[in-house]
Amino acid sequence: MANKAVTMEKLVALCKARGIIFPGSEIYGGMGNTWDYGPVGVEIKNNLKRAWWKRFVQESDNSYGVDAAILMNARVWDASGHTTSFSDPKMDCKECKSRHRADTLIEAHSKGKVNPDTMSNAEMEAYIQEHQVHCPICGKFNWTNIRTFNLMFETSRGVTDESQNKIYLRPETAQGEFVNFLNVQRTTRAKVPFGIAQVGKAFRNEITPGNFIFRTIEFEQMEHQWFCKEGTDGEYYDSFKQKAWQFLLDLGFDEKHLRFKDHDKLAHYAKAACDIQYEFPMGWSELNGIHNRTDYDLTRHQEFSGKSMTYIDPITSERYIPYVIEYSIGADRLMLATLSEAYDEETLENGEVRNVMRFHPAIAAYKAAVLPLQKNLAPQAKELWEKLKKYFSVIYDEAGSIGKRYRRQDEIGTPYCITVDFDTLENGTVTVRERDSMEQIRLDLNGVIAFLTEKCIF
Ligand code: ATP
């Protein structure tokens, strides 16, 4: 059962009102399906990326990070197969000129009962014809045939725009890890199995972007490629499924809102593939993917670049091209799932409704808010704020009643409110109010840093 309190409309409104996410280029009337992260949102998203990096690089034995260029040699995309086959089946409504994905039309029409992933274009056309699937925009039935539409954004380098200068905005970060396989292996002296991780922007000219930040044309991916020997790939595929699942549980996701979904139709190079789906406000959808990509990528890069991608085992001198287990999750999609999971409307004893975002403290934009009970306590409160700022992202607020200030912090999910009051002057203690339980404790001023450090670790 999805988080009952949340709807997409409520999330979009809250994000705009509280500085989490704004519509892109808003003063110019916007630009469809682009979004800008505001002061609160950028902190949350950075914290998600940090938590991911900590789990999959910092705390993982034998995993290393890279930050590869977005613009890559165009041959990379020939080798990866993107120039020829990174496309979606597009249909246009001849009446209202709207553009749709045939697979999405079928999925929506059959209410998820028919899986278009296993259908050819001809089969999809036949289904749409037979079931008279009408245009969801104008309600008419007058389609073009399916045409495949490459999702890569093209641009050109240099001063001329001749076709040989054509380059692409990367549609995934994975290739940056594959082309650096030997660079990383050599410089870290890593032995297979080892991993390469990357967090960065990717771009796809999606036919049907939408659902807020779920599907956009520019987004961030967090990808981890695990290079291993053929024969061990099945075991690592299973362990990455578990690791990806555990990461979500540790972020505070309710297991009831998550499920595994095996791919019905595997990509030609894949040996196994599954998604973890989350029950988003609009329904169950992919949150991340885990793929056994075999030795396809490195073999293709060897073929197209002419450079050997062979790994030589330092002990056995065995030579082979490793298999790859890929784990890939969109930072923005994780952000949407996190927002949706955290959203709550709590009815208090006095009947008032409290909006609260129940983020994991490590993910919350601010670890604490420092609040002087009254304005004349501002100097002492600011002193504490200055001290805490060196360690954490902390906010200061002195405007309005203490109750209103607590509510403001609840709405952006600040886990702790630290109030400086008259007792602070007398005995050097502060009140710490916890967001979820609203319970208050008194804490020695000297213990605040240790308290927040312990509570906010991921
Ligand atoms: P989908 O089926 O939703 O189009 P995909 O299977 O093409 O996704 P991958 O290519 O495996 O996705 O990308 C890995 C991850 O990147 C996805 O699980 C998702 O979290 C994220 N992602 C992919 N496309 C988008 C997008 N257009 N906007 C936001 N995030 C995306």
Side-chain angles (χ1 to χ4, degrees), residues 140-171:
K140 305 260 173 56
F141 182 81
N142 191 5
W143 296 110
T144 61
N145 287 339
I146 292 178
R147 268 166 295 171
T148 47
F149 174 76
N150 195 297
L151 302 182
M152 281 201 294
F153 277 105
E154 290 178 13
T155 185
S156 54
R157 70 166 302 171
V159 286
T160 61
D161 64 352
E162 292 158 18
S163 60
Q164 64 262 38
N165 295 326
K166 198 199 284 180
I167 51 172
Y168 304 94
L169 300 187
R170 69 179 174 198

PDB file of all heavy atoms in Angstrom, residues 140-171:
ATOM      1  N   LYS A 140      -9.173  10.681 -30.199  1.00  0.00           N
ATOM      2  CA  LYS A 140      -9.421  10.183 -31.567  1.00  0.00           C
ATOM      3  C   LYS A 140      -8.572   8.922 -31.832  1.00  0.00           C
ATOM      4  O   LYS A 140      -7.651   8.611 -31.077  1.00  0.00           O
ATOM      5  CB  LYS A 140      -9.038  11.264 -32.588  1.00  0.00           C
ATOM      6  CG  LYS A 140      -9.746  12.595 -32.358  1.00  0.00           C
ATOM      7  CD  LYS A 140     -10.922  12.739 -33.308  1.00  0.00           C
ATOM      8  CE  LYS A 140     -11.773  13.970 -33.027  1.00  0.00           C
ATOM      9  NZ  LYS A 140     -11.074  15.246 -33.031  1.00  0.00           N
ATOM     10  N   PHE A 141      -8.878   8.267 -32.940  1.00  0.00           N
ATOM     11  CA  PHE A 141      -8.097   7.082 -33.313  1.00  0.00           C
ATOM     12  C   PHE A 141      -7.557   7.288 -34.725  1.00  0.00           C
ATOM     13  O   PHE A 141      -8.208   6.982 -35.717  1.00  0.00           O
ATOM     14  CB  PHE A 141      -8.985   5.828 -33.252  1.00  0.00           C
ATOM     15  CG  PHE A 141      -8.235   4.572 -33.574  1.00  0.00           C
ATOM     16  CD1 PHE A 141      -7.457   3.949 -32.616  1.00  0.00           C
ATOM     17  CD2 PHE A 141      -8.277   4.022 -34.851  1.00  0.00           C
ATOM     18  CE1 PHE A 141      -6.736   2.799 -32.907  1.00  0.00           C
ATOM     19  CE2 PHE A 141      -7.557   2.877 -35.158  1.00  0.00           C
ATOM     20  CZ  PHE A 141      -6.791   2.269 -34.184  1.00  0.00           C
ATOM     21  N   ASN A 142      -6.415   7.882 -34.839  1.00  0.00           N
ATOM     22  CA  ASN A 142      -5.826   8.182 -36.139  1.00  0.00           C
ATOM     23  C   ASN A 142      -4.301   8.291 -35.978  1.00  0.00           C
ATOM     24  O   ASN A 142      -3.747   9.387 -35.908  1.00  0.00           O
ATOM     25  CB  ASN A 142      -6.436   9.485 -36.685  1.00  0.00           C
ATOM     26  CG  ASN A 142      -6.058   9.705 -38.140  1.00  0.00           C
ATOM     27  OD1 ASN A 142      -5.423   8.844 -38.757  1.00  0.00           O
ATOM     28  ND2 ASN A 142      -6.423  10.851 -38.693  1.00  0.00           N
ATOM     29  N   TRP A 143      -3.660   7.126 -35.944  1.00  0.00           N
ATOM     30  CA  TRP A 143      -2.235   7.082 -35.620  1.00  0.00           C
ATOM     31  C   TRP A 143      -1.347   6.982 -36.878  1.00  0.00           C
ATOM     32  O   TRP A 143      -1.754   6.403 -37.872  1.00  0.00           O
ATOM     33  CB  TRP A 143      -1.921   5.855 -34.773  1.00  0.00           C
ATOM     34  CG  TRP A 143      -2.557   5.822 -33.424  1.00  0.00           C
ATOM     35  CD1 TRP A 143      -3.561   5.007 -33.004  1.00  0.00           C
ATOM     36  CD2 TRP A 143      -2.218   6.637 -32.296  1.00  0.00           C
ATOM     37  NE1 TRP A 143      -3.870   5.260 -31.687  1.00  0.00           N
ATOM     38  CE2 TRP A 143      -3.050   6.260 -31.224  1.00  0.00           C
ATOM     39  CE3 TRP A 143      -1.281   7.666 -32.082  1.00  0.00           C
ATOM     40  CZ2 TRP A 143      -2.991   6.854 -29.975  1.00  0.00           C
ATOM     41  CZ3 TRP A 143      -1.227   8.253 -30.824  1.00  0.00           C
ATOM     42  CH2 TRP A 143      -2.070   7.850 -29.791  1.00  0.00           C
ATOM     43  N   THR A 144      -0.141   7.479 -36.764  1.00  0.00           N
ATOM     44  CA  THR A 144       0.890   7.157 -37.757  1.00  0.00           C
ATOM     45  C   THR A 144       1.385   5.746 -37.423  1.00  0.00           C
ATOM     46  O   THR A 144       1.072   5.222 -36.346  1.00  0.00           O
ATOM     47  CB  THR A 144       2.109   8.102 -37.635  1.00  0.00           C
ATOM     48  OG1 THR A 144       2.668   7.940 -36.320  1.00  0.00           O
ATOM     49  CG2 THR A 144       1.740   9.548 -37.867  1.00  0.00           C
ATOM     50  N   ASN A 145       2.171   5.164 -38.322  1.00  0.00           N
ATOM     51  CA  ASN A 145       2.827   3.905 -37.974  1.00  0.00           C
ATOM     52  C   ASN A 145       3.887   4.188 -36.907  1.00  0.00           C
ATOM     53  O   ASN A 145       4.261   5.343 -36.681  1.00  0.00           O
ATOM     54  CB  ASN A 145       3.507   3.304 -39.206  1.00  0.00           C
ATOM     55  CG  ASN A 145       2.485   2.737 -40.162  1.00  0.00           C
ATOM     56  OD1 ASN A 145       1.348   2.443 -39.758  1.00  0.00           O
ATOM     57  ND2 ASN A 145       2.864   2.601 -41.416  1.00  0.00           N
ATOM     58  N   ILE A 146       4.391   3.117 -36.320  1.00  0.00           N
ATOM     59  CA  ILE A 146       5.463   3.286 -35.332  1.00  0.00           C
ATOM     60  C   ILE A 146       6.762   3.637 -36.061  1.00  0.00           C
ATOM     61  O   ILE A 146       7.097   3.029 -37.073  1.00  0.00           O
ATOM     62  CB  ILE A 146       5.663   1.988 -34.521  1.00  0.00           C
ATOM     63  CG1 ILE A 146       4.440   1.741 -33.630  1.00  0.00           C
ATOM     64  CG2 ILE A 146       6.941   2.034 -33.696  1.00  0.00           C
ATOM     65  CD1 ILE A 146       4.505   0.455 -32.830  1.00  0.00           C
ATOM     66  N   ARG A 147       7.426   4.644 -35.534  1.00  0.00           N
ATOM     67  CA  ARG A 147       8.768   4.933 -36.032  1.00  0.00           C
ATOM     68  C   ARG A 147       9.723   4.905 -34.845  1.00  0.00           C
ATOM     69  O   ARG A 147       9.314   5.306 -33.737  1.00  0.00           O
ATOM     70  CB  ARG A 147       8.816   6.322 -36.685  1.00  0.00           C
ATOM     71  CG  ARG A 147       8.533   6.257 -38.183  1.00  0.00           C
ATOM     72  CD  ARG A 147       8.238   7.605 -38.752  1.00  0.00           C
ATOM     73  NE  ARG A 147       7.003   8.144 -38.188  1.00  0.00           N
ATOM     74  CZ  ARG A 147       6.570   9.367 -38.357  1.00  0.00           C
ATOM     75  NH1 ARG A 147       7.251  10.220 -39.059  1.00  0.00           N
ATOM     76  NH2 ARG A 147       5.436   9.772 -37.812  1.00  0.00           N
ATOM     77  N   THR A 148      10.918   4.414 -35.054  1.00  0.00           N
ATOM     78  CA  THR A 148      11.834   4.403 -33.920  1.00  0.00           C
ATOM     79  C   THR A 148      12.515   5.773 -33.836  1.00  0.00           C
ATOM     80  O   THR A 148      12.794   6.421 -34.842  1.00  0.00           O
ATOM     81  CB  THR A 148      12.896   3.294 -34.032  1.00  0.00           C
ATOM     82  OG1 THR A 148      13.423   3.342 -35.329  1.00  0.00           O
ATOM     83  CG2 THR A 148      12.308   1.934 -33.744  1.00  0.00           C
ATOM     84  N   PHE A 149      12.745   6.193 -32.634  1.00  0.00           N
ATOM     85  CA  PHE A 149      13.211   7.538 -32.368  1.00  0.00           C
ATOM     86  C   PHE A 149      14.401   7.446 -31.426  1.00  0.00           C
ATOM     87  O   PHE A 149      14.276   6.962 -30.304  1.00  0.00           O
ATOM     88  CB  PHE A 149      12.040   8.295 -31.714  1.00  0.00           C
ATOM     89  CG  PHE A 149      12.363   9.664 -31.232  1.00  0.00           C
ATOM     90  CD1 PHE A 149      12.490  10.708 -32.134  1.00  0.00           C
ATOM     91  CD2 PHE A 149      12.524   9.914 -29.875  1.00  0.00           C
ATOM     92  CE1 PHE A 149      12.773  11.987 -31.679  1.00  0.00           C
ATOM     93  CE2 PHE A 149      12.815  11.182 -29.420  1.00  0.00           C
ATOM     94  CZ  PHE A 149      12.941  12.217 -30.331  1.00  0.00           C
ATOM     95  N   ASN A 150      15.579   7.864 -31.934  1.00  0.00           N
ATOM     96  CA  ASN A 150      16.771   7.754 -31.087  1.00  0.00           C
ATOM     97  C   ASN A 150      16.730   8.796 -29.969  1.00  0.00           C
ATOM     98  O   ASN A 150      16.428   9.967 -30.199  1.00  0.00           O
ATOM     99  CB  ASN A 150      18.047   7.922 -31.921  1.00  0.00           C
ATOM    100  CG  ASN A 150      19.246   7.439 -31.121  1.00  0.00           C
ATOM    101  OD1 ASN A 150      19.577   7.977 -30.069  1.00  0.00           O
ATOM    102  ND2 ASN A 150      19.888   6.384 -31.605  1.00  0.00           N
ATOM    103  N   LEU A 151      17.002   8.348 -28.760  1.00  0.00           N
ATOM    104  CA  LEU A 151      16.826   9.207 -27.579  1.00  0.00           C
ATOM    105  C   LEU A 151      18.051  10.063 -27.257  1.00  0.00           C
ATOM    106  O   LEU A 151      18.018  10.844 -26.316  1.00  0.00           O
ATOM    107  CB  LEU A 151      16.513   8.345 -26.352  1.00  0.00           C
ATOM    108  CG  LEU A 151      15.279   7.449 -26.440  1.00  0.00           C
ATOM    109  CD1 LEU A 151      15.064   6.699 -25.141  1.00  0.00           C
ATOM    110  CD2 LEU A 151      14.048   8.270 -26.768  1.00  0.00           C
ATOM    111  N   MET A 152      19.118   9.909 -28.059  1.00  0.00           N
ATOM    112  CA  MET A 152      20.317  10.680 -27.717  1.00  0.00           C
ATOM    113  C   MET A 152      20.223  12.117 -28.223  1.00  0.00           C
ATOM    114  O   MET A 152      19.802  12.363 -29.351  1.00  0.00           O
ATOM    115  CB  MET A 152      21.557  10.015 -28.309  1.00  0.00           C
ATOM    116  CG  MET A 152      22.005   8.834 -27.480  1.00  0.00           C
ATOM    117  SD  MET A 152      23.722   8.439 -27.767  1.00  0.00           S
ATOM    118  CE  MET A 152      23.707   7.909 -29.444  1.00  0.00           C
ATOM    119  N   PHE A 153      20.648  13.045 -27.379  1.00  0.00           N
ATOM    120  CA  PHE A 153      20.739  14.452 -27.784  1.00  0.00           C
ATOM    121  C   PHE A 153      22.026  14.631 -28.583  1.00  0.00           C
ATOM    122  O   PHE A 153      23.103  14.283 -28.102  1.00  0.00           O
ATOM    123  CB  PHE A 153      20.820  15.364 -26.570  1.00  0.00           C
ATOM    124  CG  PHE A 153      19.487  15.695 -25.957  1.00  0.00           C
ATOM    125  CD1 PHE A 153      19.090  15.095 -24.773  1.00  0.00           C
ATOM    126  CD2 PHE A 153      18.645  16.611 -26.556  1.00  0.00           C
ATOM    127  CE1 PHE A 153      17.875  15.401 -24.199  1.00  0.00           C
ATOM    128  CE2 PHE A 153      17.428  16.934 -25.993  1.00  0.00           C
ATOM    129  CZ  PHE A 153      17.038  16.324 -24.815  1.00  0.00           C
ATOM    130  N   GLU A 154      21.882  15.181 -29.767  1.00  0.00           N
ATOM    131  CA  GLU A 154      23.080  15.412 -30.587  1.00  0.00           C
ATOM    132  C   GLU A 154      23.544  16.849 -30.440  1.00  0.00           C
ATOM    133  O   GLU A 154      22.743  17.754 -30.251  1.00  0.00           O
ATOM    134  CB  GLU A 154      22.735  15.228 -32.070  1.00  0.00           C
ATOM    135  CG  GLU A 154      22.459  13.803 -32.447  1.00  0.00           C
ATOM    136  CD  GLU A 154      22.064  13.705 -33.921  1.00  0.00           C
ATOM    137  OE1 GLU A 154      22.238  14.694 -34.672  1.00  0.00           O
ATOM    138  OE2 GLU A 154      21.585  12.645 -34.280  1.00  0.00           O
ATOM    139  N   THR A 155      24.820  17.026 -30.556  1.00  0.00           N
ATOM    140  CA  THR A 155      25.346  18.376 -30.679  1.00  0.00           C
ATOM    141  C   THR A 155      26.576  18.274 -31.580  1.00  0.00           C
ATOM    142  O   THR A 155      26.866  17.199 -32.104  1.00  0.00           O
ATOM    143  CB  THR A 155      25.649  19.007 -29.302  1.00  0.00           C
ATOM    144  OG1 THR A 155      26.055  20.359 -29.485  1.00  0.00           O
ATOM    145  CG2 THR A 155      26.727  18.261 -28.532  1.00  0.00           C
ATOM    146  N   SER A 156      27.257  19.381 -31.811  1.00  0.00           N
ATOM    147  CA  SER A 156      28.438  19.268 -32.657  1.00  0.00           C
ATOM    148  C   SER A 156      29.572  20.047 -32.019  1.00  0.00           C
ATOM    149  O   SER A 156      29.344  20.999 -31.268  1.00  0.00           O
ATOM    150  CB  SER A 156      28.146  19.811 -34.058  1.00  0.00           C
ATOM    151  OG  SER A 156      27.651  21.118 -33.941  1.00  0.00           O
ATOM    152  N   ARG A 157      30.778  19.624 -32.303  1.00  0.00           N
ATOM    153  CA  ARG A 157      31.921  20.340 -31.745  1.00  0.00           C
ATOM    154  C   ARG A 157      32.641  21.092 -32.852  1.00  0.00           C
ATOM    155  O   ARG A 157      32.526  20.763 -34.017  1.00  0.00           O
ATOM    156  CB  ARG A 157      32.871  19.399 -31.021  1.00  0.00           C
ATOM    157  CG  ARG A 157      33.649  18.463 -31.904  1.00  0.00           C
ATOM    158  CD  ARG A 157      34.773  17.828 -31.129  1.00  0.00           C
ATOM    159  NE  ARG A 157      35.651  18.869 -30.585  1.00  0.00           N
ATOM    160  CZ  ARG A 157      36.626  18.631 -29.725  1.00  0.00           C
ATOM    161  NH1 ARG A 157      36.845  17.420 -29.290  1.00  0.00           N
ATOM    162  NH2 ARG A 157      37.399  19.602 -29.283  1.00  0.00           N
ATOM    163  N   GLY A 158      33.370  22.112 -32.427  1.00  0.00           N
ATOM    164  CA  GLY A 158      34.130  22.873 -33.422  1.00  0.00           C
ATOM    165  C   GLY A 158      33.280  23.971 -34.024  1.00  0.00           C
ATOM    166  O   GLY A 158      32.134  24.194 -33.625  1.00  0.00           O
ATOM    167  N   VAL A 159      33.840  24.641 -35.022  1.00  0.00           N
ATOM    168  CA  VAL A 159      33.161  25.804 -35.587  1.00  0.00           C
ATOM    169  C   VAL A 159      32.224  25.452 -36.731  1.00  0.00           C
ATOM    170  O   VAL A 159      31.388  26.248 -37.122  1.00  0.00           O
ATOM    171  CB  VAL A 159      34.161  26.884 -36.057  1.00  0.00           C
ATOM    172  CG1 VAL A 159      34.771  27.624 -34.878  1.00  0.00           C
ATOM    173  CG2 VAL A 159      35.263  26.266 -36.917  1.00  0.00           C
ATOM    174  N   THR A 160      32.358  24.272 -37.292  1.00  0.00           N
ATOM    175  CA  THR A 160      31.424  23.863 -38.329  1.00  0.00           C
ATOM    176  C   THR A 160      30.514  22.786 -37.754  1.00  0.00           C
ATOM    177  O   THR A 160      30.835  22.184 -36.748  1.00  0.00           O
ATOM    178  CB  THR A 160      32.156  23.250 -39.532  1.00  0.00           C
ATOM    179  OG1 THR A 160      32.862  22.105 -39.061  1.00  0.00           O
ATOM    180  CG2 THR A 160      33.104  24.215 -40.175  1.00  0.00           C
ATOM    181  N   ASP A 161      29.367  22.600 -38.396  1.00  0.00           N
ATOM    182  CA  ASP A 161      28.499  21.555 -37.866  1.00  0.00           C
ATOM    183  C   ASP A 161      28.332  20.434 -38.888  1.00  0.00           C
ATOM    184  O   ASP A 161      27.252  19.922 -39.097  1.00  0.00           O
ATOM    185  CB  ASP A 161      27.164  22.111 -37.368  1.00  0.00           C
ATOM    186  CG  ASP A 161      26.340  22.709 -38.473  1.00  0.00           C
ATOM    187  OD1 ASP A 161      26.859  22.828 -39.608  1.00  0.00           O
ATOM    188  OD2 ASP A 161      25.185  23.040 -38.219  1.00  0.00           O
ATOM    189  N   GLU A 162      29.423  20.098 -39.545  1.00  0.00           N
ATOM    190  CA  GLU A 162      29.377  18.977 -40.478  1.00  0.00           C
ATOM    191  C   GLU A 162      29.155  17.692 -39.697  1.00  0.00           C
ATOM    192  O   GLU A 162      29.487  17.606 -38.527  1.00  0.00           O
ATOM    193  CB  GLU A 162      30.707  18.868 -41.236  1.00  0.00           C
ATOM    194  CG  GLU A 162      30.928  20.027 -42.183  1.00  0.00           C
ATOM    195  CD  GLU A 162      32.400  20.192 -42.502  1.00  0.00           C
ATOM    196  OE1 GLU A 162      33.156  19.242 -42.285  1.00  0.00           O
ATOM    197  OE2 GLU A 162      32.769  21.287 -42.955  1.00  0.00           O
ATOM    198  N   SER A 163      28.640  16.689 -40.410  1.00  0.00           N
ATOM    199  CA  SER A 163      28.231  15.487 -39.681  1.00  0.00           C
ATOM    200  C   SER A 163      29.384  14.790 -38.969  1.00  0.00           C
ATOM    201  O   SER A 163      29.195  14.149 -37.949  1.00  0.00           O
ATOM    202  CB  SER A 163      27.539  14.517 -40.622  1.00  0.00           C
ATOM    203  OG  SER A 163      28.439  14.172 -41.646  1.00  0.00           O
ATOM    204  N   GLN A 164      30.623  14.955 -39.506  1.00  0.00           N
ATOM    205  CA  GLN A 164      31.720  14.245 -38.832  1.00  0.00           C
ATOM    206  C   GLN A 164      32.022  14.857 -37.461  1.00  0.00           C
ATOM    207  O   GLN A 164      32.744  14.268 -36.674  1.00  0.00           O
ATOM    208  CB  GLN A 164      32.994  14.153 -39.688  1.00  0.00           C
ATOM    209  CG  GLN A 164      33.654  15.460 -40.021  1.00  0.00           C
ATOM    210  CD  GLN A 164      33.236  15.923 -41.414  1.00  0.00           C
ATOM    211  OE1 GLN A 164      32.088  15.754 -41.806  1.00  0.00           O
ATOM    212  NE2 GLN A 164      34.172  16.484 -42.153  1.00  0.00           N
ATOM    213  N   ASN A 165      31.483  16.060 -37.197  1.00  0.00           N
ATOM    214  CA  ASN A 165      31.714  16.675 -35.895  1.00  0.00           C
ATOM    215  C   ASN A 165      30.606  16.367 -34.896  1.00  0.00           C
ATOM    216  O   ASN A 165      30.570  16.938 -33.816  1.00  0.00           O
ATOM    217  CB  ASN A 165      31.822  18.198 -36.042  1.00  0.00           C
ATOM    218  CG  ASN A 165      33.046  18.575 -36.846  1.00  0.00           C
ATOM    219  OD1 ASN A 165      34.066  17.904 -36.766  1.00  0.00           O
ATOM    220  ND2 ASN A 165      32.930  19.616 -37.646  1.00  0.00           N
ATOM    221  N   LYS A 166      29.714  15.483 -35.313  1.00  0.00           N
ATOM    222  CA  LYS A 166      28.578  15.195 -34.449  1.00  0.00           C
ATOM    223  C   LYS A 166      29.035  14.468 -33.179  1.00  0.00           C
ATOM    224  O   LYS A 166      29.785  13.498 -33.238  1.00  0.00           O
ATOM    225  CB  LYS A 166      27.606  14.297 -35.209  1.00  0.00           C
ATOM    226  CG  LYS A 166      26.223  14.282 -34.592  1.00  0.00           C
ATOM    227  CD  LYS A 166      25.426  13.099 -35.037  1.00  0.00           C
ATOM    228  CE  LYS A 166      24.903  13.231 -36.450  1.00  0.00           C
ATOM    229  NZ  LYS A 166      24.125  12.025 -36.821  1.00  0.00           N
ATOM    230  N   ILE A 167      28.585  14.996 -32.041  1.00  0.00           N
ATOM    231  CA  ILE A 167      28.839  14.289 -30.772  1.00  0.00           C
ATOM    232  C   ILE A 167      27.517  14.245 -29.998  1.00  0.00           C
ATOM    233  O   ILE A 167      26.518  14.838 -30.419  1.00  0.00           O
ATOM    234  CB  ILE A 167      29.951  14.954 -29.937  1.00  0.00           C
ATOM    235  CG1 ILE A 167      29.689  16.445 -29.763  1.00  0.00           C
ATOM    236  CG2 ILE A 167      31.313  14.730 -30.545  1.00  0.00           C
ATOM    237  CD1 ILE A 167      30.633  17.123 -28.790  1.00  0.00           C
ATOM    238  N   TYR A 168      27.529  13.566 -28.887  1.00  0.00           N
ATOM    239  CA  TYR A 168      26.288  13.336 -28.143  1.00  0.00           C
ATOM    240  C   TYR A 168      26.459  13.703 -26.679  1.00  0.00           C
ATOM    241  O   TYR A 168      27.544  13.559 -26.120  1.00  0.00           O
ATOM    242  CB  TYR A 168      25.898  11.849 -28.215  1.00  0.00           C
ATOM    243  CG  TYR A 168      25.755  11.333 -29.620  1.00  0.00           C
ATOM    244  CD1 TYR A 168      26.832  10.714 -30.261  1.00  0.00           C
ATOM    245  CD2 TYR A 168      24.550  11.460 -30.313  1.00  0.00           C
ATOM    246  CE1 TYR A 168      26.720  10.246 -31.550  1.00  0.00           C
ATOM    247  CE2 TYR A 168      24.419  10.990 -31.609  1.00  0.00           C
ATOM    248  CZ  TYR A 168      25.512  10.389 -32.230  1.00  0.00           C
ATOM    249  OH  TYR A 168      25.397   9.921 -33.515  1.00  0.00           O
ATOM    250  N   LEU A 169      25.370  14.176 -26.091  1.00  0.00           N
ATOM    251  CA  LEU A 169      25.342  14.284 -24.635  1.00  0.00           C
ATOM    252  C   LEU A 169      25.124  12.870 -24.121  1.00  0.00           C
ATOM    253  O   LEU A 169      24.210  12.193 -24.601  1.00  0.00           O
ATOM    254  CB  LEU A 169      24.187  15.179 -24.172  1.00  0.00           C
ATOM    255  CG  LEU A 169      24.176  16.613 -24.667  1.00  0.00           C
ATOM    256  CD1 LEU A 169      23.060  17.390 -23.974  1.00  0.00           C
ATOM    257  CD2 LEU A 169      25.513  17.291 -24.381  1.00  0.00           C
ATOM    258  N   ARG A 170      25.932  12.419 -23.209  1.00  0.00           N
ATOM    259  CA  ARG A 170      25.865  10.992 -22.842  1.00  0.00           C
ATOM    260  C   ARG A 170      24.462  10.610 -22.338  1.00  0.00           C
ATOM    261  O   ARG A 170      23.878  11.318 -21.513  1.00  0.00           O
ATOM    262  CB  ARG A 170      26.934  10.628 -21.806  1.00  0.00           C
ATOM    263  CG  ARG A 170      26.710  11.234 -20.445  1.00  0.00           C
ATOM    264  CD  ARG A 170      27.792  10.830 -19.451  1.00  0.00           C
ATOM    265  NE  ARG A 170      27.599  11.551 -18.195  1.00  0.00           N
ATOM    266  CZ  ARG A 170      28.518  11.700 -17.266  1.00  0.00           C
ATOM    267  NH1 ARG A 170      29.730  11.198 -17.424  1.00  0.00           N
ATOM    268  NH2 ARG A 170      28.265  12.360 -16.149  1.00  0.00           N
ATOM    269  N   PRO A 171      23.942   9.483 -22.821  1.00  0.00           N
ATOM    270  CA  PRO A 171      22.623   9.043 -22.370  1.00  0.00           C
ATOM    271  C   PRO A 171      22.690   8.165 -21.129  1.00  0.00           C
ATOM    272  O   PRO A 171      21.661   7.789 -20.579  1.00  0.00           O
ATOM    273  CB  PRO A 171      22.111   8.228 -23.567  1.00  0.00           C
ATOM    274  CG  PRO A 171      23.344   7.677 -24.181  1.00  0.00           C
ATOM    275  CD  PRO A 171      24.449   8.672 -23.947  1.00  0.00           C
TER     276      PRO A 171
END
